[in-house]
Amino acid sequence: MVTENTADRIKAGPTKSFFIDTLVKDIQLIPAVVDLIDNSVDGALRVRQHGGSFEDLYIRLVVKSDRFVIEDNCGGIPFKTARDYAFRFGRPEGTPTVNHSVGQFGVGMKRALFKLGTRFRIESVSDTHRFVVEVDVDEWKTDDEDWHFDWTELETLDPPPPAEERGTTITVRELHPSVSEDLGEAWFRSSLSQAISRSHRVNMADGLSITLNGVPLQFDLARLLTDADMSPGYSEHTFDGVSVRIYAGVGRSSPTEAGWYVFCNGRQVLGADRTALTGWGGKGGVNIPKFHNQYARFRGYAFFDADDASLLPWNTTKTGVDEDSDVYRTARVEMVRLMRPVISFLNQVDQEKDQIGSDDVGPLEEALGSAVETPLIEIASTAFTPPKPRKEKPSKGPALARIQYSRPKSLVIAARKALRATTYKEVGEKTFDYFIELEDIEGDDG
C-alpha cells in the first residue's frame, strides 16, 4: 500500500551539474555571446517601446583572455523582472514581455554565463532599483535543492537616476580554459565581430552602437541591384499573427554571400543559406536547382516580425529556423515563388557567358554592371523584372554583323597568346581581320 509520507517519495529533480553541462552543450561560444547582446537589445526595445531610433544607446564588450564584460545603457533590468523572472531557467507563466523581443526563450543569459566561466557578477540600475548579483558557480552547484541566487547588493533609488545612467554590466571572470584561450585570439575576436554585425545589423542601422574592445562594429545594409529597367521581387503577408516581408533579386557576384537571409524581429538567424531549408534543390517538387556558382548573384531576404516573439519560426539558439513551423513553411512557398524568376534570369546570364566566352562581357552582364545597390527599405516592387540588354548605338560607319562560333578552348587560348589578344572577342576580331587581309577581300562598301 502506498502511503502519503513525503519522506518516502522518489527524488527525480535534476542535479545542477548535469543541468549546466547539458545546457551549455546546446550552443557554441559565439552564439552564446550574441545571446547576451540580445538581452541588451530587449532593454533598448523597452526604452524605445513607443518607437523611435536607438540613437544614444550602446552596448560595449570587453573580450580578453582573463575576463569578459558586456555593458549597456539600455535601461537596466526592472527589479520585479530580476527578482521573479530574469534568473529563472526557462520562461515561466506571466513573464513580462517586450513587444518585438529577441530574447525569447528564458535561457540565453544563464546559458551564456555558464558557457563563459565559473564566476560572474551582474550589476544593473533601473529607474527604481540598483542591484548586484555575484555567483560562484562551483559553490552554487553543490546544493541541488536550492536553485536561488542571492542579492549581493540591493538598494531603492529615489529619485530615479538619469536615463543615461540606467543599464546593466555583466562581468565574467575565472573563464573556462578553452574560453580564455579563444577570447585571447585575434581570429576569435574577428569572428565574433562579424557574427554580431550580421546578427544585429538591423538594430545597428537604427542607431544602436556596439563596440568590441573599444572598436565600433561596422555593418552592411541589406541591398539589391536596381536600375530603371530592373527591379527585385517583393511580397508582404501576414501568417498567423506574424508579418512577413520577402525580397528576392540580385547583388554583386559572391558565392559566399549568395543565398537567403532570414530575420526574426530584426535578428538575423540564417545567413547566405543555400540549402533545401530555403527551397534550393527542388524540395517539395519545386523546380529550383541546387546551388551552383552561376547563382552567385542571388540574394533573398525574409523578415518575420511579431509583437509576440513566441510566434516566430526560430530555434532556441537563434542560429536557424524551425522548419516545422507552419508560418515558415507557408512563407517558404512564397520565397520560392519570388526566387524562381531570378534563377531563370541568372541561367540566361550563364548561357550568354558560355556563348561569348568567359572573358567577354555580354549585354545582360553589361546591364548588371550599370545597376546600383539599393537598400531594401527603398524597394517596393512586386515582381522581379530582369534588366534589358543595352542597345548598341548605331554606327556611323559600315553596317555591322555579329559572328559567333565555338572552337576547342586549348586552340583558342593558343591563338589568343599568338595574337596578343586579351579576350575571346578580340581573338575573333583579329582572326577575321587576318583572314580578310590574307585573302585580300574587300566589301561592297570598302
Side-chain angles (χ1 to χ4, degrees), residues 95-324:
T95 301
T97 59
V98 178
N99 283 351
H100 230 64
S101 168
V102 292
Q104 156 65 19
F105 299 101
V107 295
M109 179 176 70
K110 286 78 67 178
R111 178 168 56 189
L113 296 178
F114 291 145
K115 184 80 176 181
L116 286 162
T118 59
R119 185 184 292 272
F120 60 84
R121 181 182 191 273
I122 301 174
E123 178 178 3
S124 190
V125 177
S126 68
D127 57 342
T128 62
H129 290 79
R130 172 187 173 273
F131 70 80
V132 175
V133 174
E134 293 184 275
V135 177
D136 182 326
V137 177
D138 289 337
E139 179 180 323
W140 177 78
K141 69 182 182 182
T142 58
D143 184 355
D144 289 326
E145 303 302 321
D146 183 5
W147 287 69
H148 292 84
F149 294 124
D150 294 319
W151 308 110
T152 304
E153 300 175 31
L154 176 62
E155 59 180 309
T156 301
L157 303 177
D158 189 17
E164 61 270 18
E165 295 180 10
R166 303 174 195 172
T168 302
T169 301
I170 298 175
T171 304
V172 184
R173 296 188 182 274
E174 295 188 21
L175 302 170
H176 296 302
S178 60
V179 171
S180 174
E181 182 179 346
D182 284 347
L183 267 54
E185 295 285 351
W187 67 264
F188 177 85
R189 294 193 293 270
S190 176
S191 297
L192 177 60
S193 297
Q194 293 172 25
I196 295 170
S197 296
R198 288 192 302 266
S199 297
H200 286 290
R201 58 176 163 177
V202 171
N203 297 311
M204 294 170 72
D206 282 341
L208 182 64
S209 168
I210 304 180
T211 62
L212 195 157
N213 290 348
V215 179
L217 300 189
Q218 304 301 313
F219 63 95
D220 292 323
L221 282 175
R223 301 171 186 266
L224 291 170
L225 290 179
T226 67
D227 69 5
D229 299 319
M230 178 175 63
S231 58
Y234 171 72
S235 69
E236 186 173 330
H237 305 272
T238 298
F239 304 129
D240 296 335
V242 179
S243 171
V244 184
R245 293 175 293 122
I246 304 172
Y247 302 80
V250 294
R252 61 190 179 90
S253 182
S254 173
T256 59
E257 297 177 22
W260 279 99
Y261 294 77
V262 178
F263 298 79
C264 289
N265 278 356
R267 164 73 143 83
Q268 182 175 304
V269 298
L270 206 61
D273 186 85
R274 302 179 288 271
T275 71
L277 187 62
T278 51
W280 294 90
K283 185 175 179 63
V286 180
N287 188 24
I288 298 292
K290 289 185 178 180
F291 180 80
H292 186 274
N293 282 354
Q294 72 191 58
Y295 306 122
R297 286 184 175 274
F298 176 82
R299 300 290 189 282
Y301 299 91
F303 295 87
F304 296 81
D305 295 282
D307 284 346
D308 182 355
S310 68
L311 301 177
L312 297 171
W314 49 10
N315 61 19
T316 60
T317 57
K318 288 169 277 190
T319 55
V321 299
D322 176 8
E323 191 175 6
D324 294 327

Side-chain angles (χ1 to χ4, degrees), residues 351-378:
Q351 291 166 7
E352 178 185 78
K353 204 71 175 172
D354 288 342
Q355 291 172 356
I356 67 173
S358 59
D359 290 349
D360 292 332
V361 176
L364 291 177
E365 193 164 13
E366 183 181 5
L368 285 173
S370 64
V372 296
E373 290 187 317
T374 303
L376 298 188
I377 195 172
E378 299 177 17

